[in-house]
Amino acid sequence: AGKDRSRRNGLGHGLAARVVLPDDFGADLDRALARWDHEAGPDNVVEEHLVRRAAVASVTLDRLDAAR
């Protein structure tokens, strides 16, 4: 148990990790945001936040499907 715990000492939460995204991810995300904004028509900041999260998730899932 001690060795397992010690093995994980270097692990953190990962929130400060530098993430490298492919060059075309931004363009895909912009297109998805435009589609989601048009279709969902958010009326307030909460809906805007949820639409953005959905757009990011949809682009990410599409890329995962394509990679499979």
Side-chain angles (χ1 to χ4, degrees):
K3 285 185 178 185
D4 284 339
R5 185 174 43 235
S6 130
R7 204 175 285 132
R8 291 188 304 270
N9 280 346
L11 295 178
H13 49 69
L15 294 174
R18 185 167 175 229
V19 178
V20 178
L21 298 174
D23 292 335
D24 59 342
F25 187 87
D28 290 346
L29 180 57
D30 288 343
R31 283 190 295 275
L33 281 169
R35 280 193 323 267
W36 279 86
D37 277 340
H38 175 74
E39 294 295 327
D43 293 326
N44 56 52
V45 69
V46 172
E47 291 177 2
E48 288 172 3
H49 173 76
L50 294 173
V51 164
R52 179 164 178 78
R53 299 283 295 180
V56 169
S58 72
V59 171
T60 302
L61 290 171
D62 288 347
R63 287 174 166 268
L64 287 171
D65 286 342
R68 287 187 184 163

